[in-house]
Structure formats: structure tokens, C-alpha cells
């Protein structure tokens, strides 16, 4: 899964990150940060 998230707060809508407790139980989650651009990549893979 690839999700592009721009760090803005529009004031309404639904947060993608609400209710993700236990995500690591069924998925491998890896984060990679770029020091030069400030971009954070989150890689979510279904566990085999």
C-alpha cells in the first residue's frame, strides 16, 4: 500500500491514522526518513 500524505490540517474530514492500534499484528510496518528533504516513507506489508 502506498499513501501520499501532505502535512496540512484542513480542519475537517477523517484522519487516516485514527484507530490503527494493533496494526503491527497483521502487518510489517517500516519507516524510512530522508534527512535532506524531510520526507517520511511508511511501507506497510501484509505479514505472510
Amino acid at each position: 500500500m502506498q499513501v501520499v500524505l501532505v502535512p496540512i490540517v484542513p480542519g475537517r474530514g477523517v484522519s487516516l491514522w485514527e484507530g490503527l492500534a494493533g496494526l503491527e499484528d497483521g502487518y510489517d510496518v517500516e519507516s524510512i526518513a530522508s534527512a535532506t528533504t524531510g520526507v517520511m516513507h511508511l511501507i506497510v506489508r501484509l505479514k505472510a
Side-chain angles (χ1 to χ4, degrees), residues 9-16 18:
V9 181
R12 49 184 212 192
V14 177
S15 173
L16 286 175
E18 298 275 333

Side-chain angles (χ1 to χ4, degrees), residues 31-48:
S31 62
I32 304 169
S34 171
T36 58
T37 62
V39 173
M40 172 74 72
H41 296 272
L42 294 176
I43 300 167
V44 180
R45 292 186 187 97
L46 185 61
K47 287 185 179 179

